[in-house]
Amino acid sequence: MSLILATTIPGEPEIFASLQGEGPSIGRPSVFVRLSRCNLACTWCDTAYTWRFSGDNRPHRDDIAFDRSANQVTWAEDEVAARIAALFAPAAQPRLVITGGEPLLQGSALARMVEALKQAVTALHVEIETNGTVAPHPALDALVDQYNVSPKLAHSGNPADLALVPERLTAWAAEPRAFFKFVIAEAADLSEITALQQRYTIPPDRLYVMPEGTDSATLRTRALWLAEAAASAGWRFTDRLHIHLYGDTRGT
Ligand code: SF4
């Protein structure tokens, strides 16, 4: 009966108000909650503190092992809901972004938290960021307005049979609430997207490409060719607004 959350500092859950930095809701004022734990291990993951704990030797470009007790905190669902409710700006439509790690690993506890939050906050819009490998718990699915699904390509370093689950990709492609967001590092990654789009019939208006990068200079360099490639393929392009605004920091 609790949620395992990431932390900003030891003991303090990563729950914060900011602007959504990526995807279909970019620029919208939102409250974020970041869950700990992930079932994948991307070599460029910018939230490795949610999963790469001491003893986990899966490759990561920074090769940092995080202390689990300093980077996880366990809170009851109603405590999480109360902390989130206190952060919504009065004038804006309340939007909650549930991110991670992989949040759908904690689907049933998340459903209880969102249920409690919806009782306290009217017209709440709920979006979930997921790597697309886990089916949403039915009780949670009934409470979600939007999924931002980010399947991981070969350059993530994950085995394809873990990162690209055919029945899940089929389900997300058929789900009108789901937007695909592919992280791109090299031009060679684009052919993988074309193949996935064709295989799963992903509608182009629900397919975003986004440059990989944790600093503005890298994002800008990659955006130059990626935006052009998106335009010619008929895909949508998204930047990483929060990196330009705040850099690669927790709680933003
Ligand atoms: S799926 Fe997301 S949270 Fe998990 S390792 Fe990859 S980038 Fe990090």
Side-chain angles (χ1 to χ4, degrees), residues 10 83 88 126 129 149 180 189:
R83 172 66 72 95
F88 289 118
V126 177
E129 314 245 348
V149 181
F180 286 77
D189 305 334

Side-chain angles (χ1 to χ4, degrees), residues 89-241:
Q93 194 213 345
R95 301 181 72 91
L96 173 65
V97 179
I98 301 171
T99 188
E102 175 45 61
L104 294 180
L105 296 176
Q106 302 185 63
S108 136
L110 268 179
R112 291 191 292 275
M113 188 280 284
V114 174
E115 187 72 57
L117 190 56
K118 286 205 170 197
Q119 283 174 15
V121 177
T122 52
L124 177 68
H125 181 280
V126 177
E127 60 187 84
I128 292 193
E129 314 245 348
T130 173
N131 61 31
T133 60
V134 181
H137 187 287
L140 177 64
D141 188 50
L143 301 168
V144 173
D145 298 285
Q146 180 178 315
Y147 291 99
N148 304 322
V149 181
S150 186
K152 297 303 184 274
L153 304 178
H155 68 85
S156 71
N158 294 288
D161 61 333
L162 292 184
L164 301 170
V165 180
E167 61 268 30
R168 288 310 320 147
L169 293 170
T170 301
W172 293 123
E175 168 57 74
R177 294 173 294 170
F179 292 83
F180 286 77
K181 182 178 67 184
F182 291 99
V183 178
I184 306 297
E186 310 285 343
D189 305 334
L190 298 173
S191 59
E192 275 185 78
I193 301 179
T194 304
L196 289 168
Q197 183 183 18
Q198 286 172 356
R199 179 169 174 193
Y200 295 102
T201 324
I202 302 172
D205 63 324
R206 291 198 281 114
L207 193 165
Y208 282 78
V209 287
M210 180 178 82
E212 190 276 320
T214 51
D215 63 84
S216 269
T218 302
L219 291 175
R220 208 177 294 277
T221 303
R222 291 177 170 166
L224 285 173
W225 54 262
L226 183 55
E228 218 168 282
S232 59
W235 303 328
R236 300 173 76 169
F237 171 85
T238 177
D239 206 342
R240 307 194 74 202
L241 178 62

Side-chain angles (χ1 to χ4, degrees), residues 38-42 44-47 50-51 100-102 131 152 158:
C38 188
N39 57 331
L40 297 183
C42 303
W44 39 257
C45 177
D46 60 359
T47 54
T50 64
W51 58 270
E102 175 45 61
N131 61 31
K152 297 303 184 274
N158 294 288

